[in-house]
Every structure is written in C-alpha cells, then in structure tokens.
Amino acid sequence: MPLAKKDIVQQYVERYGQEPPLVIRAPGRVNLIGEHTDYNDGFVFPLAINRAAWIALKPRSDNKVVVYSVDYKETKEFSLDGLTTNGKEGWIEYIKGTAWALQDAGYKLSGWEGVLAGDVPLGAGLSSSASLELATARAFASVGNLPWDAAVMAKLGQKAENKWVGVNCGIMDQLISAAGKADHALLIDCRTLASEPVPFPAGTAIVVLDTSTRRGLVDSAYNERRSQCEAAAKFFGVKVLRDVTIDQFNAKAGELDEMTRRRSKHVITENDRTEAAAVVMKKGDAVSLGKLMNESHESLRDDFEVSSDALNAMVDNARKHPGCYGARMTGAGFGGCAVALIDAAQADDFVAKTSAGYEAQTGNKPAVYVCTATDGAKEV
Ligand code: GLA
C-alpha cells in the first residue's frame, strides 16, 4: 500500500502530540516514453505516480530546519543562515540543497520542523530525489508564502541536484514532480518547459516493473551519454540534438563514427516517437502507443546502450503477456525499472505472470505493481 496522508500525520502526532498544521506531498514519476531526451531540449512524457515524499510540518519562529526521517529513524537539522555542506552526506542534503537553491534565487526562507517519510524506492529510477527536492520546495513555499510556479520550482530542484548533490540530471524528474496531473501523463517540451496533460486510453493501466537491480555506475555512464550527445550536436552544427531532424540525420549519418551515429539516432527518433505517442494517446489508441514504447526500448537497448540484461529480461517477459500493449525500460537505465502499458482487465494476471517469468529467468525477485497518475507537489 502506498503511503497515505494518515500515515505521515500519525508519525507527526507521535512526535509532537498534535495534528500537523501543514502536510506536503511530492510524487515520484515513471516516464512513458521520451528517454535521454530532456538534456537534449527534447520531449518527455512522464506521469507523477502514487509513490511520494511526504512532509508533515509546522513553521518555526527562527531560521532552523529540523527534520525527523521516518525511514532513517534520525533527526537532522541545519540553519538557513550561511548554508554549508558538511561533507554532503545523506538525505538531509536534498533538503539543504533545495534551501540553498531557493535562497540563491532570491527567496527569503523561514524555518520549519517536522517529519519526513517516503515510499519512492531509492535508486530505482522513479525519482525519489526529485520528490524530496520538490517536497522541500513546497514546504518552504507554504511556510514562507512564496509564489508557486511549477516550472520555476522544478528548475530550482534541478539546480539543487546539479550543483549541491552533484548529479548532472535533466529537468524531467523535477518538472513532473512539480507539475504532475492526476489521471494524466504530461507531454513536456524540455526547451520551453510547457506541458500538456493527456489522459490514458480507456481501459488501460500503467505498470511499474522494478527489476530490483541497481547499478552503481549510472552517473558516469549518464555523463558520458550527455557528452556524446553534445559532440553529435556539434557535428550537426547545432547546440542540441532537438534541432536535428531525421532527414538531416539521414543525409549526414554516413559521415559519423558508429557510436555518435547510434547515440544521435536514438535521441532524434525518440523525440519523434514521443510526440507521436501524445498524438495516438489523445486518440485513445493503446495499440499504437504500446508499439512506440516497444520501439523506444529497442532504441535505448541497441543504439543508446543504456539497458541491461535484467531490464531486457523484464521487458521480454512483460511482452509475452497477451494483455501487454508495450513495455520498455524507463529512467536513466542500467538497472531499476521498466514500464508497461496493459489492458487493465488483465492487470492481476499480468503482474503475476510477468513477476514469475522474470524471477525464473534471472533469479531476482522483482516488484511489479499497477500505478496511478497523481498531482504534482502540493499541500494535502
Ligand atoms: C534520469 C535523469 C532525467 C533524464 C532521465 C533519462 O532520470 O534524472 O533528467 O535524463 O534519466 O531520460
């Protein structure tokens, strides 16, 4: 069962003996299609999921932030005056880093204290860190009466991640955690940050398929892919691959070295697939949407080379089921989760058979579950 408001309220009441004046929820995400496109100024199509970071809190009259983590069973605190890193360790750094990014953007912050809990699995590619950054931003916004603009706050969350935590991510995770819409996926243009909510085809369900594998080398491989994309853009005479069409690519592809050719082919075709996915989804066409998701996986596996044996095994098992329209790895890759679009009426059977098939093939115990699309960061 996903965490609910009553769970975090109960945690707060246990520590403070009364109900919290404020409860904040900021979700994790799963991306339907549009992978490794965000840092190329391209398109992504994620949904905010019913797994989230929760903070129950009360304002303080001083400049301190004091947080008890239910998951780590420890309290950490810091002062908003002259934020320092102290070696940057652990979950509190996401909160500190977000405070720093908000202050750096000129917001005046006031202190608060409370409890934090989350059920976005860590390191699974479902954006647990973005959920914590946006929960923090929302907490400061509520306590300090700051204006809430989802795109602005997402960029500050990203800045915390890039500059404080030191992970060079794009904008997708923070933006969907900030701007998600219940029952919809968001087609996001990562150049303008404009987003368009699109409802799911009737009778379908979205399934998260966690391989329960985690790969340590994700960061370096991710940075390497980013550099390769930059080099490819340079070759085409543009800043970002968003600005290369498939015709331009085809005309010059022969002059590229094999690796740059494959990396850029993925990004350019993935952008086209993502826009196409929104078009077919608006028509309620689950079959075409599933097909695009399948093609995305093949492209990530063969051309962008960010899949893994476990992810491929999960995707293969998912696709064996008659209720599956399409399945692909989701997030940065190298481990973590896949996502599938399925016939909702066959959900139980799909979950059971895909889990069993994957476990039999790999020996790993997966976590496979239907998820629902929720709103972005807000007071609840
Ligand atoms: C990670 C990053 C995102 C995005 C995806 C790949 O989740 O945080 O910005 O680049 O990988 O699509």
Side-chain angles (χ1 to χ4, degrees):
M1 275 298 279
L3 278 176
K5 183 178 176 182
K6 63 170 175 32
D7 301 318
I8 188 86
V9 167
Q10 187 193 329
Q11 289 290 341
Y12 184 97
V13 171
E14 271 174 30
R15 302 191 74 78
Y16 292 97
Q18 51 183 256
E19 298 267 311
L22 276 168
V23 177
I24 306 290
R25 173 188 184 274
R29 63 102 186 92
V30 67
N31 189 20
L32 272 189
I33 190 164
E35 217 65 81
H36 289 276
T37 45
D38 62 351
Y39 53 83
N40 290 294
D41 267 10
F43 295 92
V44 294
F45 204 10
L47 51 136
I49 57 174
N50 52 335
R51 300 254 175 161
W54 294 79
I55 304 177
L57 67 139
K58 65 174 177 189
R60 285 176 63 102
S61 51
D62 60 10
N63 261 356
K64 262 192 182 171
V65 174
V66 183
V67 190
Y68 173 75
S69 162
V70 173
D71 305 310
Y72 289 90
K73 298 187 178 49
E74 60 181 5
T75 300
K76 298 263 181 192
E77 61 172 74
F78 62 91
S79 164
L80 290 165
D81 301 322
L83 276 174
T84 54
T85 67
N86 269 337
K88 294 197 183 172
E89 280 213 351
W91 56 272
I92 194 69
E93 296 304 330
Y94 295 88
I95 299 181
K96 272 196 204 171
T98 306
W100 164 79
L102 287 161
Q103 283 180 333
D104 200 53
Y107 293 101
K108 191 164 162 12
L109 306 185
S110 21
W112 49 268
E113 67 181 278
V115 300
L116 161 72
D119 62 356
V120 186
L122 302 184
L126 300 176
S127 299
S128 57
S129 44
S131 73
L132 183 46
E133 286 147 8
L134 269 299
T136 303
R138 187 66 251 190
F140 279 115
S142 293
V143 169
N145 259 321
L146 311 178
W148 182 262
D149 177 302
V152 170
M153 291 298 169
K155 280 187 109 168
L156 293 174
Q158 183 196 17
K159 186 171 171 182
E161 182 90 32
N162 292 166
K163 303 271 196 264
W164 189 277
V165 179
V167 174
N168 202 15
C169 64
I171 189 65
M172 167 167 70
D173 308 345
Q174 287 78 12
L175 191 54
I176 186 66
S177 183
K181 187 164 188 266
D183 305 323
H184 293 72
L186 251 54
L187 176 68
I188 298 171
D189 180 337
C190 296
R191 169 163 283 164
T192 62
L193 302 192
S195 61
E196 185 190 354
V198 184
F200 300 99
T204 62
I206 306 294
V207 180
V208 171
L209 307 110
D210 189 338
T211 60
S212 65
T213 60
R214 310 284 184 255
R215 271 277 295 272
L217 290 174
V218 181
D219 280 2
S220 56
Y222 185 87
N223 290 338
E224 186 185 72
R225 294 302 182 286
R226 285 191 76 141
S227 315
Q228 290 165 342
C229 289
E230 279 161 29
K234 203 162 182 191
F235 169 83
F236 286 103
V238 293
K239 273 225 178 80
V240 277
L241 284 174
R242 155 76 175 266
D243 295 316
V244 181
T245 64
I246 189 69
D247 290 339
Q248 288 166 333
F249 170 80
N250 286 333
K252 282 186 99 179
E255 297 168 36
L256 279 169
D257 68 90
E258 175 67 12
M259 181 180 299
T260 315
R261 189 184 66 73
R262 283 194 275 131
R263 299 294 189 258
S264 42
K265 181 177 167 212
H266 165 71
V267 174
I268 295 161
T269 57
E270 184 79 350
N271 274 328
D272 289 349
R273 278 188 291 273
T274 306
E275 287 194 277
V279 171
V280 297
M281 195 153 124
K282 281 179 207 158
K283 293 183 186 149
D285 181 354
V287 172
S288 302
L289 180 56
K291 196 164 163 276
L292 289 162
M293 290 170 71
N294 288 341
E295 287 167 14
S296 167
H297 183 79
E298 266 71 271
S299 180
L300 287 156
R301 185 190 64 200
D302 302 336
D303 287 334
F304 214 65
E305 295 180 286
V306 291
S307 191
S308 68
D309 290 346
L311 283 164
N312 295 337
M314 185 64 96
V315 163
D316 290 346
N317 277 287
R319 287 181 190 169
K320 275 185 203 153
H321 196 277
C324 183
Y325 292 109
R328 57 180 286 278
M329 57 151 277
T330 186
F334 303 103
C337 294
V339 59
L341 177 74
I342 65 158
D343 170 14
Q346 301 185 54
D348 290 345
D349 195 58
F350 174 84
V351 167
K353 294 215 169 102
T354 307
S355 305
Y358 172 80
E359 190 173 346
Q361 188 177 336
T362 63
N364 300 327
K365 224 178 179 33
V368 179
Y369 46 91
V370 172
C371 71
T372 55
T374 65
D375 282 339
K378 63 176 188 184
E379 279 175 32
V380 289

